[in-house]
Amino acid sequence: MSCCPEHKEESPMGHDQMDHTKMHMEKASHHETHAEHGHSMHGGKNATEDFLRRFGIVTVLLMPLFLFSSVGMSLFGYEDFAARRYFEFTIASGIFFFGIVFFEHAKHEIRAKKYGMMTLVSLAVGSGYLFSAASTFLPVLKTEFYLEISTLVWVLLFGHYLEAKSSSAAGDALQEVAKLLPKQAHVLRNGQVEEIDIDKVIEGDVVIVKPGEKVPSDGIIRKGEGSFNEAHISGESNPVEKKVGDTVIAGAINIDGSFEIMLTRVGASSTIGQIQKLISNAQQTKPTAQRIADRASRYLTFIALGVALTALFVWSSLAGETLVFAVTTAITVLVIACPHALGLAIPTVTTIATRLAVQHGVFIKDLSKLEVVKSVDYVVFDKTGTLTKGEFGVTDIQVFDSPSSEERFLSLAASLEQHSSHVLAEAVTRYAKEKHIVLHRVDKFKNRAGKGVQGEIQNEQFFLGNKTMMEEEKRFDEQSKNVYEQFSKEGKTVAFLTDTKKVLGVIALSDVVKPEAREAITILHRLGVKVAMLTGDSQEVAQAVAQTLQIDTFFAQVLPERKYEYITKLQQEEKKVMMVGDGVNDAPALTQANVGVAIGAGTDVAVEAGDIVLTRSNPKDIVSLLVLSRKVYRKMIENLVWALGYNVLAIPAAAGLFIPVGVRLTPEVGAILMSLSSVIVVLNAMTLRKASLAS
């Protein structure tokens, strides 16, 4: 599908407008789409209804046509009459009219010089109808096959209806995204609440979102406190607590409370607008398998035409058969060679794959990259924020020979740190709160810049700080030194807690490894993929993380602008590399990699760098992406093998190659087989809908 050039990104993108934009885009891409894929005429609810209506009318017309045919006469035992063939001509012409849709699409293919399925269908139906019409008005020909050609139209329409219905059931990812938004918003203007359509909201509007309602666009909470379900973006169904000043995402569902939200990003710049843009752009891309199918469809048109003409000549001139027999055989070749299944083999898979990916927070900007993902040798992770949380956390607490318990030790440390705004202090305080530790009042608090803090708790003096502070206070003893050196080698930051006499114990902090990172890397290894890590941290820190996660290779002290060099190094070893980063300072590396994945985009999903965007900072989503790519590729190959294999066998059979052994295909049988092959391809693709992305 091509992008509509007239689409204005700055305009609001509500539910109705998304539908309008999608329709506009379809019109703009009309010529190209039909030239590339005859199957595109099947998409959408309107196409499904149109084919069903045409099929119903043709079904009704076929009944009297059958009665007036030679088959009907012999079956019901009535004699021929002069006007019979004119009745046949009239009814068949009506059926031909309802099959004119094939000719309209063939015209686009011919104009674009990209001959395909509709060209063949039109040749088959058109030649059969014209030969029969000539027989009606030139009795010397003595035969017609109105019934056969009409049956072909009937079967083709039914096949197209089934495919359109299947395609609709497979799901349009753009429509799925549009459903995330409400149709109307409660906007607060001049002290009054107005109900307006979603596409009328503007940046700066204040909207009221009541319990159970969806947020119409991205914004900041101005009043209210409660929780939201952001599963449409994060994939996590757990409620997310929000308060005044927090941001909310378009499509998030208000679970409780009433909120006033000032809109900051509307239309195409909002989260939903960005997602829609990613999907629209992705629909313009093609996997390699699709390009193979496109070329095969075009070649098949000329092959079928050549075989049909050859069959016509051989059977009428060399084999001595009648002209009617030869023409019937040629038309059967055209009918059965329609690359319907070939045209549907890949698009049905990618349509479902796109929807499945979106449901898992995966946005594929270039569908051709799916084929690369399935065979990557290395997944290279940026450390901070990808494998780790990107924030300090308490990893170890070691209490010395003090009578203090670990709980009291942590209470003292956190009580001192609650008065500091340092990032390490916040980590200690947060850890204590998670452990439900009771904090104490601190008197005579003093912050010693770059060293630590001190204060009195229950009339006793305590100090919490780094090695420098301990040395100044002359409390850095041998035990403290040994513990310090041990944790430092592991790349951890060490804070000491002392009273006025001695060190009570230490707290070690570091950038905390995500629990899901370990599981993700284990599964990647099981899938036969190696893992590397890039980080700007020291060799000691990098080595500690690499050992914890069992990473195959790591590169430490790497400057952001030089990360791409390490990707190149792996590629020079003839490795296919997937780079996973945050899409900001990792942009050069993401671009250099065979596949670039921007992870943890959150509300800013329109990341320019990277071929694939993941909305969560969850390394396990990389596993889902890899599993998806392999299952999608397998379905593509299955469909291609079926579609090509069908034509390899069917065309010679239609040309009469197997007549000597008693097998002959007629046009109506050919039509049934052709449509059946298309439906099989669609049904095979639809099995992907229930695919699990767990390894």
Side-chain angles (χ1 to χ4, degrees):
M1 183 179 292
S2 298
C3 254
C4 169
E6 294 83 12
H7 172 59
K8 297 180 181 179
E9 290 188 11
E10 67 272 17
S11 62
M13 186 72 68
H15 181 96
D16 296 333
Q17 187 172 349
M18 281 186 179
D19 290 342
H20 171 74
T21 304
K22 181 173 180 290
M23 180 178 68
H24 190 43
M25 288 163 62
E26 286 174 344
K27 289 180 179 178
S29 61
H30 188 69
H31 292 277
E32 179 185 348
T33 303
H34 286 93
E36 289 290 328
H37 309 299
H39 67 272
S40 62
M41 63 192 283
H42 306 153
K45 184 179 177 182
N46 291 340
T48 306
E49 293 175 349
D50 180 57
F51 281 119
L52 181 60
R53 179 180 60 84
R54 290 172 184 270
F55 173 73
I57 294 171
V58 170
T59 301
V60 172
L61 291 174
L62 264 179
M63 295 176 186
L65 181 64
F66 176 76
L67 291 174
F68 289 126
S69 69
S70 56
V71 176
M73 282 194 308
S74 60
L75 186 64
F76 293 104
Y78 59 85
E79 294 184 3
D80 196 1
F81 54 97
R84 181 185 63 83
R85 59 177 53 200
Y86 298 107
F87 280 120
E88 277 190 295
F89 169 74
T90 303
I91 297 169
S93 296
I95 292 173
F96 181 81
F97 172 78
F98 286 103
I100 205 75
V101 62
F102 305 132
F103 292 85
E104 293 172 356
H105 293 285
K107 183 172 67 176
H108 294 300
E109 290 181 349
I110 294 168
R111 281 180 177 175
K113 295 183 179 179
K114 293 182 178 178
Y115 313 99
M117 178 178 63
M118 290 299 106
T119 305
L120 274 181
V121 168
S122 300
L123 282 171
V125 173
S127 57
Y129 173 77
L130 291 175
F131 185 85
S132 299
S135 296
T136 299
F137 297 100
L138 298 173
V140 67
L141 295 177
K142 295 182 180 180
T143 188
E144 70 280 320
F145 30 82
Y146 287 124
L147 181 62
E148 288 83 351
I149 292 303
S150 296
T151 303
L152 169 60
V153 172
W154 180 70
V155 172
L156 282 168
L157 287 172
F158 185 63
H160 280 65
Y161 161 69
L162 287 178
E163 291 152 13
K165 187 176 181 180
S166 299
S167 178
S168 176
D172 186 327
L174 284 172
Q175 276 191 336
E176 290 297 310
V177 172
K179 290 175 184 175
L180 296 175
L181 293 178
K183 290 186 177 181
Q184 290 190 314
H186 317 300
V187 180
L188 190 61
R189 289 179 180 169
N190 302 319
Q192 300 293 321
V193 177
E194 299 179 20
E195 298 283 332
I196 66 171
D197 292 338
I198 188 70
D199 58 348
K200 298 292 193 302
V201 298
I202 59 174
E203 188 176 316
D205 269 343
V206 175
V207 297
I208 308 296
V209 180
K210 301 173 183 177
E213 295 182 339
K214 295 178 181 178
V215 178
S217 200
D218 298 357
I220 298 174
I221 296 175
R222 206 174 73 164
K223 183 187 292 186
E225 187 172 335
S227 54
F228 287 85
N229 182 339
E230 296 182 347
H232 68 301
I233 290 295
S234 67
E236 299 288 348
S237 57
N238 294 333
V240 180
E241 295 295 325
K242 299 283 185 178
K243 60 183 183 303
V244 174
D246 288 344
T247 58
V248 286
I249 306 168
I253 301 172
N254 178 10
I255 297 175
D256 51 25
S258 183
F259 292 87
E260 284 187 13
I261 299 169
M262 185 177 73
L263 304 184
T264 55
R265 299 197 301 182
V266 299
S269 64
S270 71
T271 302
I272 301 302
Q274 290 176 23
I275 291 172
Q276 191 212 23
K277 181 181 177 182
L278 284 177
I279 296 170
S280 296
N281 290 343
Q283 288 179 339
Q284 299 175 67
T285 64
K286 295 180 184 179
T288 305
Q290 177 61 61
R291 290 192 284 269
I292 293 171
D294 290 344
R295 284 198 298 271
S297 292
R298 286 194 283 273
Y299 293 145
L300 195 60
T301 301
F302 293 105
I303 291 170
L305 189 57
V307 172
L309 292 173
T310 301
L312 179 65
F313 173 75
V314 169
W315 287 110
S316 61
S317 301
L318 302 182
E321 291 288 346
T322 64
L323 180 62
V324 171
F325 179 91
V327 168
T328 303
T329 302
I331 290 171
T332 304
V333 171
L334 296 177
V335 169
I336 209 162
C338 289
H340 227 210
L342 199 55
L344 287 163
I346 307 305
T348 47
V349 174
T350 54
T351 297
I352 298 168
T354 301
R355 183 184 183 189
L356 194 61
V358 168
Q359 289 172 346
H360 287 80
V362 179
F363 300 96
I364 304 164
K365 295 167 66 176
D366 184 352
L367 287 170
S368 67
K369 292 296 181 179
L370 269 180
E371 292 165 280
V372 182
V373 171
K374 60 98 182 163
S375 57
V376 293
D377 302 300
Y378 261 98
V379 174
V380 180
F381 287 98
D382 176 54
K383 181 184 80 73
T384 306
T386 304
L387 295 176
T388 64
K389 293 183 177 180
E391 59 183 32
F392 272 91
V394 174
T395 59
D396 303 272
I397 293 178
Q398 190 165 333
V399 181
F400 293 167
D401 56 350
S402 163
S404 301
S405 65
E406 184 175 308
E407 184 176 335
R408 182 173 183 273
F409 175 88
L410 184 56
S411 175
L412 293 170
S415 297
L416 288 170
E417 294 285 43
Q418 68 180 320
H419 295 282
S420 173
S421 59
H422 193 278
V423 63
L424 298 181
E426 291 176 354
V428 173
T429 306
R430 183 171 61 250
Y431 182 76
K433 287 181 178 178
E434 290 171 358
K435 297 289 185 180
H436 305 291
I437 301 295
V438 177
L439 303 186
H440 303 285
R441 173 183 169 182
V442 178
D443 298 313
K444 299 181 182 180
F445 176 82
K446 183 180 179 182
N447 182 46
R448 293 165 64 170
K451 299 171 185 176
V453 295
Q454 66 184 69
E456 287 186 3
I457 300 175
Q458 296 175 345
N459 299 318
E460 189 176 354
Q461 184 83 357
F462 292 96
F463 302 82
L464 182 68
N466 56 20
K467 176 187 174 186
T468 303
M469 186 179 188
M470 294 302 102
E471 289 174 335
E472 286 183 359
E473 296 296 328
K474 299 189 178 356
R475 296 196 186 98
F476 193 62
D477 54 23
E478 193 65 29
Q479 186 179 20
S480 300
K481 180 182 177 182
N482 292 337
V483 173
Y484 173 79
E485 289 177 353
Q486 176 194 335
F487 285 136
S488 294
K489 283 181 182 178
E490 296 174 4
K492 297 174 181 177
T493 300
V494 182
F496 300 85
L497 177 67
T498 80
D499 55 19
T500 54
K501 298 176 182 178
K502 61 184 177 181
V503 177
L504 302 177
V506 299
I507 299 177
L509 304 98
S510 70
D511 189 358
V512 182
V513 171
K514 294 179 179 177
E516 56 268 27
R518 185 178 287 101
E519 186 179 352
I521 291 170
T522 300
I523 298 173
L524 286 172
H525 284 153
R526 194 161 64 234
L527 294 172
V529 179
K530 290 188 175 181
V531 178
M533 180 181 72
L534 287 174
T535 178
D537 288 339
S538 66
Q539 189 79 10
E540 292 78 13
V541 171
Q543 187 170 1
V545 174
Q547 287 177 345
T548 300
L549 295 175
Q550 296 185 323
I551 288 172
D552 300 287
T553 306
F554 69 91
F555 306 101
Q557 295 177 307
V558 180
L559 296 173
E561 63 271 19
R562 298 191 62 186
K563 287 182 180 179
Y564 77 94
E565 295 177 7
Y566 295 89
I567 302 296
T568 305
K569 182 180 177 182
L570 289 172
Q571 290 172 327
Q572 287 171 346
E573 297 173 7
E574 298 186 354
K575 304 294 185 184
K576 285 186 181 178
V577 181
M578 177 195 292
M579 171 65 192
V580 184
D582 62 15
V584 183
N585 61 6
D586 298 319
L590 290 170
T591 304
Q592 176 63 37
N594 300 87
V595 183
V597 180
I599 188 171
T603 58
D604 189 17
V605 295
V607 180
E608 292 303 318
D611 309 296
I612 296 168
V613 178
L614 308 184
T615 58
R616 300 186 299 178
S617 297
N618 188 342
K620 285 182 67 177
D621 288 344
I622 296 299
V623 174
S624 297
L625 174 60
L626 190 64
V627 172
L628 173 68
S629 69
R630 292 183 178 184
K631 290 187 176 182
V632 166
Y633 185 75
R634 190 179 302 120
K635 285 296 174 189
M636 287 180 181
I637 297 303
E638 287 172 0
N639 276 2
L640 276 180
V641 168
W642 169 261
L644 288 170
Y646 156 79
N647 281 293
V648 167
L649 291 174
I651 291 177
L657 193 64
F658 303 134
I659 287 178
V661 294
V663 177
R664 184 194 173 199
L665 294 180
T666 59
E668 61 269 31
V669 173
I672 293 170
L673 289 176
M674 184 272 295
S675 289
L676 183 62
S677 70
S678 301
V679 173
I680 289 172
V681 164
V682 172
L683 292 177
N684 184 49
M686 288 181 70
T687 61
L688 191 63
R689 293 169 64 193
K690 299 186 183 299
S692 169
L693 299 191
S695 66

